[in-house]
Amino acid sequence: MGELISKFFTPDIPGPVIGLLLLLSFLVIKGEVNQPLGMVADTFRQHLGLLFVPASVGVVLFLPDLKAHGLAVTLALLVSVVLTIAVTALVLKFFWKATHDE
């Protein structure tokens, strides 16, 4: 459904992003995860490691390029990890205050 919306209405936003937003909206409105969706999510989570196989193959395929630009790649990874942790902490802090301020 996200791909269709992306294709016809908002080509700048990827279909999977729209699909995840639709799923999130559905779950927020419904207020719970039904059993069939929970079973699919659990199965997907159990096999999530398989999604890293193509990325690993890509790393091996482009190993000479990674060696040539190792410092830049390492710096980009470190900065992105630090920013991810910082943003996660800020979001957690915001929601913690919102739910525990009484």
Coordinates of all heavy atoms in Angstrom, one line a residue:
M1 N 0.8 -1.2 0.0 CA 0.0 0.0 0.0 C 0.9 1.3 0.0 O 0.6 2.2 -0.7 CB -0.9 0.0 1.2 CG -1.9 1.0 1.2 SD -3.4 0.4 2.0 CE -4.5 1.7 1.8
G2 N 2.0 1.2 0.8 CA 2.9 2.3 0.8 C 3.5 2.6 -0.6 O 3.7 3.7 -1.0
E3 N 3.8 1.5 -1.3 CA 4.4 1.7 -2.6 C 3.4 2.3 -3.6 O 3.8 3.2 -4.4 CB 4.8 0.3 -3.2 CG 6.1 -0.2 -2.7 CD 7.3 0.6 -3.1 OE1 7.3 1.2 -4.1 OE2 8.3 0.6 -2.3
L4 N 2.1 2.0 -3.5 CA 1.1 2.6 -4.4 C 1.0 4.1 -4.1 O 0.9 4.9 -5.0 CB -0.2 1.9 -4.2 CG -0.3 0.5 -4.8 CD1 -1.6 -0.1 -4.4 CD2 -0.1 0.5 -6.3
I5 N 0.9 4.4 -2.8 CA 0.8 5.8 -2.4 C 2.1 6.6 -2.9 O 2.0 7.7 -3.4 CB 0.6 6.0 -0.9 CG1 -0.7 5.4 -0.5 CG2 0.7 7.4 -0.5 CD1 -1.0 5.3 1.0
S6 N 3.2 6.0 -2.7 CA 4.5 6.6 -3.1 C 4.5 6.8 -4.7 O 4.9 7.9 -5.1 CB 5.7 5.8 -2.7 OG 6.9 6.3 -3.2
K7 N 4.1 5.8 -5.4 CA 4.1 5.8 -6.8 C 3.2 6.9 -7.4 O 3.6 7.7 -8.3 CB 3.7 4.5 -7.4 CG 3.6 4.4 -8.9 CD 5.0 4.1 -9.4 CE 4.8 3.8 -10.9 NZ 6.0 4.0 -11.6
F8 N 2.0 7.1 -6.8 CA 1.0 8.0 -7.5 C 0.9 9.3 -6.8 O 0.4 10.3 -7.4 CB -0.4 7.3 -7.5 CG -0.4 6.1 -8.4 CD1 -0.5 4.8 -7.9 CD2 -0.3 6.2 -9.7 CE1 -0.6 3.7 -8.7 CE2 -0.3 5.1 -10.6 CZ -0.4 3.9 -10.0
F9 N 1.3 9.5 -5.5 CA 1.0 10.7 -4.8 C 2.3 11.4 -4.3 O 2.4 12.6 -4.4 CB 0.1 10.5 -3.6 CG -1.3 10.0 -4.0 CD1 -1.7 8.7 -3.7 CD2 -2.1 10.8 -4.7 CE1 -2.9 8.2 -4.1 CE2 -3.4 10.3 -5.1 CZ -3.8 9.0 -4.8
T10 N 3.2 10.7 -3.7 CA 4.4 11.3 -3.2 C 5.6 10.5 -3.6 O 6.2 9.7 -2.8 CB 4.3 11.3 -1.6 OG1 4.2 10.0 -1.2 CG2 3.2 12.2 -1.1
P11 N 6.1 10.7 -4.8 CA 7.3 9.9 -5.3 C 8.6 10.3 -4.5 O 9.5 9.5 -4.6 CB 7.4 10.3 -6.7 CG 6.6 11.6 -6.9 CD 5.6 11.6 -5.8
D12 N 8.6 11.3 -3.7 CA 9.8 11.7 -3.0 C 10.0 10.9 -1.7 O 11.1 10.8 -1.2 CB 9.8 13.2 -2.6 CG 9.8 14.1 -3.8 OD1 10.3 13.7 -4.9 OD2 9.3 15.2 -3.7
I13 N 8.9 10.3 -1.2 CA 9.0 9.5 0.0 C 8.9 8.0 -0.4 O 8.0 7.6 -1.1 CB 7.8 9.8 0.9 CG1 7.8 11.3 1.3 CG2 7.9 9.0 2.2 CD1 6.6 11.8 2.0
P14 N 9.9 7.2 0.1 CA 9.9 5.8 -0.3 C 8.7 5.1 0.2 O 8.1 5.4 1.3 CB 11.2 5.3 0.4 CG 12.0 6.4 0.7 CD 11.0 7.6 0.9
G15 N 8.2 4.1 -0.6 CA 7.0 3.3 -0.2 C 7.1 2.6 1.1 O 6.2 2.6 1.9
P16 N 8.3 2.0 1.5 CA 8.4 1.3 2.8 C 8.2 2.3 3.9 O 7.6 1.9 5.0 CB 9.8 0.7 2.8 CG 10.1 0.5 1.3 CD 9.4 1.6 0.6
V17 N 8.7 3.5 3.8 CA 8.5 4.5 4.9 C 7.0 4.8 5.0 O 6.5 4.9 6.1 CB 9.3 5.8 4.6 CG1 9.0 6.9 5.6 CG2 10.8 5.5 4.5
I18 N 6.3 5.0 3.9 CA 4.9 5.3 4.0 C 4.2 4.1 4.6 O 3.3 4.3 5.4 CB 4.3 5.6 2.6 CG1 5.0 6.9 2.1 CG2 2.8 5.7 2.6 CD1 4.6 7.3 0.7
G19 N 4.5 2.9 4.2 CA 3.9 1.7 4.7 C 4.1 1.6 6.2 O 3.2 1.2 7.0
L20 N 5.3 1.9 6.7 CA 5.6 1.8 8.2 C 4.8 2.9 8.9 O 4.3 2.6 10.0 CB 7.1 2.0 8.4 CG 7.9 0.7 8.2 CD1 9.4 1.1 8.3 CD2 7.5 -0.4 9.1
L21 N 4.6 4.1 8.3 CA 3.8 5.1 8.9 C 2.4 4.7 9.0 O 1.7 5.0 10.0 CB 4.0 6.4 8.2 CG 5.4 7.1 8.4 CD1 5.5 8.3 7.5 CD2 5.6 7.5 9.8
L22 N 1.9 4.1 7.9 CA 0.5 3.6 7.9 C 0.3 2.5 9.0 O -0.7 2.5 9.7 CB 0.1 3.0 6.5 CG -0.1 4.1 5.4 CD1 -0.2 3.4 4.1 CD2 -1.2 5.0 5.7
L23 N 1.2 1.6 9.1 CA 1.2 0.6 10.1 C 1.2 1.2 11.5 O 0.4 0.8 12.4 CB 2.3 -0.4 10.0 CG 2.4 -1.5 11.0 CD1 1.2 -2.4 11.0 CD2 3.7 -2.4 10.8
L24 N 2.1 2.1 11.7 CA 2.2 2.8 13.0 C 0.8 3.5 13.4 O 0.3 3.4 14.5 CB 3.3 3.8 13.1 CG 3.5 4.6 14.3 CD1 3.8 3.7 15.5 CD2 4.6 5.6 14.2
S25 N 0.3 4.2 12.4 CA -1.0 4.9 12.6 C -2.1 3.9 12.9 O -2.9 4.1 13.9 CB -1.4 5.7 11.3 OG -0.4 6.6 11.0
F26 N -2.1 2.8 12.2 CA -3.1 1.8 12.5 C -3.0 1.2 13.9 O -4.0 1.1 14.6 CB -3.0 0.6 11.5 CG -3.8 -0.6 11.8 CD1 -5.2 -0.6 11.6 CD2 -3.2 -1.7 12.3 CE1 -6.0 -1.7 11.9 CE2 -4.0 -2.8 12.6 CZ -5.4 -2.8 12.4
L27 N -1.8 1.0 14.3 CA -1.6 0.4 15.7 C -1.9 1.4 16.8 O -2.4 1.1 17.8 CB -0.1 -0.1 15.8 CG 0.2 -1.3 15.0 CD1 1.7 -1.7 15.1 CD2 -0.7 -2.5 15.4
V28 N -1.6 2.7 16.5 CA -1.9 3.7 17.5 C -3.4 3.9 17.6 O -3.9 4.0 18.7 CB -1.2 5.1 17.1 CG1 -1.8 6.2 17.9 CG2 0.3 5.0 17.3
I29 N -4.1 3.9 16.5 CA -5.6 4.0 16.5 C -6.2 2.8 17.2 O -7.1 2.9 18.0 CB -6.1 4.2 15.1 CG1 -5.7 5.6 14.6 CG2 -7.6 4.0 15.1 CD1 -6.0 5.8 13.1
K30 N -5.7 1.6 16.9 CA -6.3 0.4 17.4 C -5.9 0.2 18.9 O -6.7 -0.3 19.7 CB -5.8 -0.8 16.6 CG -6.5 -2.1 17.0 CD -6.3 -3.2 16.0 CE -7.1 -4.4 16.5 NZ -6.9 -5.5 15.8
G31 N -4.7 0.6 19.3 CA -4.3 0.6 20.7 C -3.7 -0.7 21.1 O -3.3 -0.9 22.2
E32 N -3.6 -1.7 20.2 CA -3.0 -3.0 20.5 C -2.6 -3.7 19.3 O -3.0 -3.4 18.2 CB -4.0 -3.9 21.3 CG -5.2 -4.3 20.5 CD -6.2 -5.2 21.3 OE1 -5.8 -5.6 22.4 OE2 -7.3 -5.4 20.8
V33 N -1.8 -4.8 19.5 CA -1.4 -5.6 18.3 C -2.2 -6.9 18.4 O -2.2 -7.6 19.4 CB 0.1 -5.9 18.4 CG1 0.5 -6.9 17.3 CG2 0.9 -4.6 18.4
N34 N -3.0 -7.2 17.3 CA -3.7 -8.4 17.4 C -2.8 -9.6 17.2 O -1.7 -9.5 16.9 CB -4.8 -8.4 16.3 CG -4.3 -8.2 14.9 OD1 -3.1 -8.4 14.7 ND2 -5.2 -7.9 14.0
Q35 N -3.4 -10.8 17.6 CA -2.6 -12.0 17.6 C -1.9 -12.4 16.3 O -0.7 -12.7 16.3 CB -3.4 -13.2 18.2 CG -2.6 -14.4 18.4 CD -3.4 -15.6 18.9 OE1 -4.6 -15.5 19.1 NE2 -2.7 -16.7 19.2
P36 N -2.7 -12.4 15.2 CA -2.0 -12.7 13.9 C -0.8 -11.8 13.5 O 0.2 -12.3 13.1 CB -3.1 -12.6 12.8 CG -4.4 -12.8 13.6 CD -4.1 -12.2 15.0
L37 N -1.0 -10.5 13.8 CA 0.1 -9.6 13.5 C 1.3 -9.8 14.4 O 2.4 -9.7 14.0 CB -0.4 -8.1 13.6 CG 0.6 -7.1 13.3 CD1 1.2 -7.2 11.9 CD2 0.0 -5.7 13.5
G38 N 1.0 -10.1 15.7 CA 2.0 -10.4 16.7 C 2.8 -11.7 16.3 O 4.0 -11.7 16.4
M39 N 2.1 -12.7 15.8 CA 2.8 -13.9 15.3 C 3.7 -13.6 14.1 O 4.8 -14.1 14.1 CB 1.8 -15.0 15.0 CG 1.1 -15.5 16.2 SD -0.3 -16.7 15.8 CE 0.5 -17.8 14.6
V40 N 3.2 -12.8 13.2 CA 4.1 -12.5 12.0 C 5.3 -11.7 12.5 O 6.4 -11.9 12.0 CB 3.2 -11.7 11.0 CG1 4.1 -11.1 9.9 CG2 2.2 -12.6 10.4
A41 N 5.1 -10.7 13.4 CA 6.2 -9.9 13.9 C 7.2 -10.8 14.6 O 8.4 -10.6 14.5 CB 5.7 -8.8 14.8
D42 N 6.7 -11.7 15.4 CA 7.7 -12.6 16.2 C 8.5 -13.4 15.2 O 9.7 -13.6 15.4 CB 6.9 -13.4 17.2 CG 6.5 -12.7 18.4 OD1 7.0 -11.6 18.6 OD2 5.5 -13.1 19.1
T43 N 7.8 -14.0 14.2 CA 8.5 -14.8 13.2 C 9.6 -14.0 12.5 O 10.7 -14.4 12.3 CB 7.5 -15.4 12.2 OG1 6.6 -16.2 12.9 CG2 8.2 -16.3 11.2
F44 N 9.2 -12.8 12.1 CA 10.1 -11.9 11.4 C 11.3 -11.5 12.3 O 12.4 -11.6 11.8 CB 9.4 -10.6 11.0 CG 10.2 -9.6 10.2 CD1 10.6 -9.9 8.9 CD2 10.6 -8.4 10.8 CE1 11.4 -9.0 8.2 CE2 11.4 -7.5 10.1 CZ 11.8 -7.8 8.8
R45 N 11.0 -11.3 13.5 CA 12.1 -10.9 14.5 C 13.1 -12.1 14.7 O 14.3 -11.9 14.8 CB 11.5 -10.5 15.8 CG 12.5 -10.1 16.9 CD 11.9 -9.8 18.2 NE 10.9 -10.8 18.6 CZ 11.2 -11.9 19.2 NH1 12.4 -12.3 19.4 NH2 10.2 -12.7 19.6
Q46 N 12.5 -13.3 14.7 CA 13.4 -14.5 14.8 C 14.3 -14.7 13.7 O 15.4 -15.3 13.8 CB 12.5 -15.7 15.0 CG 11.8 -15.8 16.4 CD 10.8 -16.9 16.5 OE1 10.6 -17.6 15.5 NE2 10.2 -17.0 17.6
H47 N 13.9 -14.3 12.5 CA 14.8 -14.5 11.3 C 15.4 -13.1 10.8 O 15.8 -13.1 9.6 CB 13.9 -15.1 10.2 CG 13.4 -16.4 10.5 ND1 12.2 -16.6 11.2 CD2 13.9 -17.7 10.4 CE1 12.0 -17.9 11.4 NE2 13.1 -18.6 10.9
L48 N 15.4 -12.2 11.6 CA 16.0 -10.8 11.2 C 17.4 -10.9 10.8 O 17.9 -10.1 9.9 CB 15.8 -9.9 12.4 CG 15.9 -8.4 12.1 CD1 14.8 -8.0 11.1 CD2 15.7 -7.6 13.4
G49 N 18.2 -11.8 11.4 CA 19.6 -11.9 11.0 C 19.8 -12.3 9.5 O 20.9 -11.9 9.0
L50 N 18.9 -12.9 8.9 CA 19.0 -13.2 7.5 C 19.1 -12.0 6.6 O 19.6 -12.0 5.5 CB 17.9 -14.1 7.0 CG 17.8 -15.5 7.6 CD1 16.6 -16.2 7.1 CD2 19.0 -16.3 7.1
L51 N 18.5 -10.9 7.1 CA 18.6 -9.6 6.3 C 20.0 -9.0 6.2 O 20.2 -8.2 5.4 CB 17.6 -8.6 6.9 CG 16.1 -9.0 6.9 CD1 15.3 -8.0 7.6 CD2 15.7 -9.1 5.4
F52 N 20.9 -9.5 7.1 CA 22.2 -8.9 7.1 C 23.1 -9.7 6.1 O 24.2 -9.3 5.9 CB 22.8 -9.0 8.5 CG 22.1 -8.0 9.4 CD1 21.2 -8.4 10.4 CD2 22.4 -6.7 9.3 CE1 20.6 -7.5 11.2 CE2 21.7 -5.7 10.2 CZ 20.8 -6.2 11.1
V53 N 22.7 -10.8 5.6 CA 23.5 -11.6 4.7 C 23.8 -10.7 3.4 O 25.0 -10.7 3.0 CB 22.8 -12.9 4.3 CG1 23.6 -13.6 3.2 CG2 22.8 -13.8 5.5
P54 N 22.9 -10.1 2.7 CA 23.2 -9.3 1.6 C 24.2 -8.2 1.9 O 25.1 -7.9 1.1 CB 21.9 -8.8 1.1 CG 20.9 -9.7 1.6 CD 21.4 -10.2 2.9
A55 N 24.0 -7.5 3.0 CA 24.9 -6.5 3.4 C 26.3 -7.0 3.6 O 27.3 -6.4 3.3 CB 24.4 -5.8 4.7
S56 N 26.4 -8.2 4.2 CA 27.8 -8.8 4.4 C 28.4 -9.1 3.1 O 29.6 -8.9 2.9 CB 27.6 -10.1 5.3 OG 27.0 -9.7 6.5
V57 N 27.7 -9.6 2.2 CA 28.2 -9.9 0.8 C 28.7 -8.6 0.2 O 29.7 -8.6 -0.4 CB 27.2 -10.6 0.0 CG1 27.6 -10.7 -1.5 CG2 26.9 -12.0 0.5
G58 N 27.9 -7.5 0.4 CA 28.3 -6.2 -0.2 C 29.6 -5.7 0.4 O 30.5 -5.2 -0.3
V59 N 29.8 -6.0 1.7 CA 31.0 -5.5 2.4 C 32.2 -6.3 1.8 O 33.3 -5.7 1.5 CB 30.9 -5.7 3.9 CG1 32.3 -5.6 4.5 CG2 30.0 -4.7 4.5
V60 N 32.1 -7.6 1.6 CA 33.2 -8.4 1.0 C 33.4 -8.0 -0.4 O 34.6 -7.9 -0.9 CB 32.8 -9.9 1.1 CG1 33.8 -10.7 0.4 CG2 32.8 -10.3 2.6
L61 N 32.4 -7.7 -1.2 CA 32.5 -7.3 -2.6 C 33.3 -6.0 -2.7 O 34.1 -5.9 -3.6 CB 31.1 -7.2 -3.2 CG 31.1 -6.9 -4.7 CD1 31.7 -8.0 -5.5 CD2 29.7 -6.6 -5.1
F62 N 33.0 -5.1 -1.8 CA 33.6 -3.8 -1.9 C 34.8 -3.6 -0.9 O 35.1 -2.5 -0.5 CB 32.6 -2.7 -1.7 CG 31.6 -2.6 -2.9 CD1 30.3 -3.1 -2.8 CD2 32.0 -2.0 -4.1 CE1 29.4 -3.0 -3.8 CE2 31.1 -1.9 -5.1 CZ 29.8 -2.4 -5.0
L63 N 35.4 -4.7 -0.5 CA 36.5 -4.6 0.5 C 37.6 -3.7 0.0 O 38.1 -2.9 0.8 CB 36.9 -6.0 0.8 CG 37.7 -6.2 2.1 CD1 37.0 -5.6 3.3 CD2 38.1 -7.6 2.3
P64 N 38.1 -3.8 -1.2 CA 39.1 -2.9 -1.7 C 38.8 -1.4 -1.5 O 39.6 -0.6 -1.1 CB 39.4 -3.2 -3.1 CG 38.9 -4.6 -3.3 CD 37.7 -4.7 -2.3
D65 N 37.5 -1.0 -1.8 CA 37.1 0.3 -1.7 C 37.1 0.7 -0.2 O 37.4 1.8 0.2 CB 35.7 0.6 -2.3 CG 35.8 0.5 -3.8 OD1 36.9 0.7 -4.4 OD2 34.7 0.1 -4.4
L66 N 36.6 -0.2 0.6 CA 36.6 0.1 2.1 C 38.0 0.3 2.7 O 38.2 1.1 3.5 CB 35.8 -1.1 2.8 CG 34.3 -1.1 2.6 CD1 33.7 -2.4 3.3 CD2 33.7 0.1 3.2
K67 N 38.9 -0.5 2.2 CA 40.3 -0.4 2.6 C 40.8 1.0 2.2 O 41.5 1.7 3.0 CB 41.2 -1.5 2.1 CG 41.0 -2.8 2.8 CD 41.9 -3.9 2.2 CE 41.7 -5.2 2.9 NZ 42.5 -6.2 2.3
A68 N 40.5 1.4 1.0 CA 41.0 2.7 0.5 C 40.4 3.9 1.3 O 41.1 4.9 1.4 CB 40.7 2.8 -1.0
H69 N 39.2 3.7 1.7 CA 38.5 4.9 2.4 C 38.1 4.5 3.8 O 37.1 4.9 4.3 CB 37.2 5.2 1.6 CG 37.5 5.6 0.2 ND1 38.1 6.7 -0.2 CD2 37.2 4.9 -1.0 CE1 38.2 6.8 -1.5 NE2 37.7 5.6 -2.0
G70 N 38.9 3.7 4.4 CA 38.7 3.2 5.7 C 38.5 4.2 6.8 O 37.5 4.1 7.6
L71 N 39.3 5.2 6.8 CA 39.2 6.3 7.8 C 37.8 7.0 7.7 O 37.1 7.3 8.7 CB 40.3 7.3 7.7 CG 40.4 8.4 8.7 CD1 40.5 7.8 10.1 CD2 41.5 9.3 8.4
A72 N 37.5 7.4 6.4 CA 36.2 8.1 6.2 C 35.0 7.2 6.6 O 34.0 7.7 7.2 CB 36.1 8.5 4.8
V73 N 35.0 6.0 6.3 CA 33.9 5.1 6.6 C 33.8 4.9 8.1 O 32.7 5.0 8.7 CB 34.1 3.7 5.9 CG1 33.1 2.7 6.4 CG2 34.0 3.8 4.4
T74 N 35.0 4.7 8.8 CA 35.0 4.6 10.2 C 34.5 5.8 10.9 O 33.6 5.8 11.8 CB 36.4 4.3 10.7 OG1 36.9 3.1 10.1 CG2 36.4 4.1 12.2
L75 N 34.9 7.0 10.4 CA 34.4 8.3 11.0 C 32.9 8.4 10.8 O 32.2 8.8 11.7 CB 35.2 9.4 10.4 CG 34.9 10.8 11.0 CD1 35.3 10.8 12.5 CD2 35.6 11.9 10.2
A76 N 32.4 8.1 9.6 CA 31.0 8.2 9.3 C 30.2 7.3 10.2 O 29.1 7.7 10.8 CB 30.7 7.9 7.9
L77 N 30.7 6.1 10.4 CA 30.0 5.1 11.3 C 30.0 5.6 12.7 O 28.9 5.5 13.4 CB 30.6 3.7 11.2 CG 30.4 3.0 9.9 CD1 31.2 1.7 9.9 CD2 28.9 2.6 9.8
L78 N 31.1 6.1 13.2 CA 31.2 6.6 14.6 C 30.2 7.8 14.8 O 29.5 7.8 15.8 CB 32.6 6.9 15.0 CG 33.5 5.8 15.2 CD1 35.0 6.3 15.4 CD2 33.1 4.9 16.4
V79 N 30.2 8.7 13.9 CA 29.4 9.9 14.1 C 27.9 9.5 14.0 O 27.1 9.9 14.8 CB 29.7 10.9 13.0 CG1 28.6 12.0 12.9 CG2 31.0 11.5 13.2
S80 N 27.5 8.6 13.1 CA 26.1 8.1 13.0 C 25.7 7.4 14.3 O 24.6 7.5 14.7 CB 25.9 7.3 11.8 OG 26.6 6.1 11.8
V81 N 26.6 6.6 14.8 CA 26.2 5.8 16.1 C 26.0 6.8 17.2 O 25.0 6.7 18.0 CB 27.3 4.8 16.4 CG1 27.2 4.3 17.8 CG2 27.3 3.6 15.4
V82 N 26.9 7.8 17.4 CA 26.8 8.8 18.4 C 25.5 9.6 18.3 O 24.8 9.8 19.2 CB 28.0 9.7 18.5 CG1 27.8 10.9 19.4 CG2 29.3 8.9 18.9
L83 N 25.2 10.0 17.0 CA 24.0 10.8 16.8 C 22.7 9.9 17.1 O 21.8 10.4 17.6 CB 24.0 11.3 15.4 CG 24.9 12.5 15.1 CD1 24.9 12.8 13.6 CD2 24.5 13.7 15.9
T84 N 22.8 8.7 16.7 CA 21.6 7.8 16.9 C 21.4 7.6 18.4 O 20.3 7.7 18.9 CB 21.9 6.4 16.3 OG1 22.0 6.6 14.9 CG2 20.7 5.5 16.5
I85 N 22.5 7.4 19.2 CA 22.3 7.3 20.6 C 21.8 8.5 21.2 O 20.9 8.5 22.1 CB 23.7 6.8 21.3 CG1 24.0 5.4 20.8 CG2 23.6 6.9 22.8 CD1 25.4 5.0 21.2
A86 N 22.3 9.7 20.8 CA 21.9 11.0 21.3 C 20.4 11.2 21.0 O 19.6 11.6 21.9 CB 22.7 12.1 20.8
V87 N 20.0 11.0 19.8 CA 18.6 11.2 19.4 C 17.7 10.2 20.2 O 16.6 10.6 20.7 CB 18.4 11.1 17.9 CG1 16.9 11.0 17.5 CG2 19.1 12.2 17.2
T88 N 18.1 9.0 20.3 CA 17.3 8.0 21.1 C 17.1 8.5 22.5 O 16.0 8.4 23.1 CB 17.9 6.6 21.0 OG1 18.1 6.2 19.6 CG2 17.1 5.6 21.8
A89 N 18.2 9.0 23.1 CA 18.1 9.4 24.5 C 17.2 10.6 24.6 O 16.4 10.7 25.6 CB 19.5 9.8 25.0
L90 N 17.2 11.5 23.7 CA 16.4 12.7 23.8 C 14.9 12.3 23.6 O 14.0 12.8 24.3 CB 16.7 13.7 22.7 CG 18.1 14.5 22.9 CD1 18.4 15.3 21.7 CD2 18.0 15.3 24.2
V91 N 14.6 11.4 22.7 CA 13.2 10.9 22.5 C 12.8 10.2 23.8 O 11.6 10.4 24.2 CB 13.1 10.0 21.3 CG1 11.8 9.3 21.2 CG2 13.4 10.8 20.0
L92 N 13.6 9.3 24.3 CA 13.3 8.6 25.6 C 13.0 9.6 26.7 O 12.0 9.5 27.4 CB 14.4 7.7 25.9 CG 14.1 6.9 27.2 CD1 12.9 6.0 27.1 CD2 15.3 6.0 27.6
K93 N 13.8 10.6 26.8 CA 13.7 11.7 27.9 C 12.4 12.4 27.7 O 11.6 12.6 28.6 CB 14.9 12.6 27.8 CG 14.8 13.7 28.9 CD 16.1 14.6 28.7 CE 16.0 15.7 29.8 NZ 17.2 16.6 29.6
F94 N 12.0 12.8 26.4 CA 10.8 13.5 26.1 C 9.6 12.6 26.5 O 8.7 13.1 27.2 CB 10.7 13.8 24.6 CG 9.4 14.4 24.2 CD1 9.1 15.7 24.5 CD2 8.5 13.6 23.5 CE1 7.8 16.2 24.2 CE2 7.3 14.1 23.2 CZ 6.9 15.4 23.5
F95 N 9.6 11.3 26.1 CA 8.4 10.5 26.4 C 8.4 10.1 27.9 O 7.3 9.9 28.4 CB 8.4 9.2 25.5 CG 7.9 9.5 24.1 CD1 8.8 9.4 23.0 CD2 6.6 9.9 23.9 CE1 8.3 9.7 21.7 CE2 6.2 10.2 22.6 CZ 7.0 10.1 21.5
W96 N 9.5 10.0 28.5 CA 9.5 9.7 29.9 C 8.9 10.8 30.7 O 8.1 10.6 31.6 CB 11.0 9.4 30.4 CG 11.0 9.0 31.8 CD1 11.2 9.8 32.9 CD2 10.9 7.7 32.3 NE1 11.2 9.1 34.1 CE2 11.0 7.8 33.7 CE3 10.8 6.5 31.7 CZ2 11.0 6.7 34.5 CZ3 10.7 5.4 32.6 CH2 10.8 5.5 33.9
K97 N 9.2 12.1 30.4 CA 8.6 13.2 31.0 C 7.2 13.3 30.7 O 6.4 13.6 31.6 CB 9.3 14.5 30.6 CG 10.7 14.8 31.3 CD 11.2 16.1 30.8 CE 12.5 16.4 31.5 NZ 13.1 17.7 31.1
A98 N 6.8 13.0 29.5 CA 5.4 13.1 29.1 C 4.5 12.1 29.8 O 3.4 12.4 30.2 CB 5.2 12.9 27.6
T99 N 5.1 10.9 30.1 CA 4.2 9.9 30.8 C 4.4 9.9 32.3 O 3.5 9.4 33.0 CB 4.6 8.5 30.3 OG1 6.0 8.3 30.5 CG2 4.3 8.3 28.8
H100 N 5.4 10.5 32.8 CA 5.6 10.5 34.3 C 5.4 11.9 34.9 O 5.7 12.0 36.1 CB 7.0 9.9 34.6 CG 7.1 8.5 34.4 ND1 7.4 8.0 33.1 CD2 6.9 7.4 35.2 CE1 7.4 6.7 33.1 NE2 7.1 6.3 34.4
D101 N 5.0 12.9 34.2 CA 4.7 14.2 34.8 C 3.2 14.2 35.2 O 2.3 14.1 34.4 CB 4.9 15.3 33.8 CG 6.2 16.0 33.9 OD1 6.9 15.6 34.9 OD2 6.5 16.8 33.1
E102 N 3.0 14.2 36.5 CA 1.6 14.2 37.0 C 1.4 15.3 38.0 O 2.2 15.8 38.6 CB 1.3 12.9 37.6 CG 1.3 11.8 36.5 CD 1.0 10.4 37.1 OE1 0.5 10.3 38.3 OE2 1.1 9.5 36.4

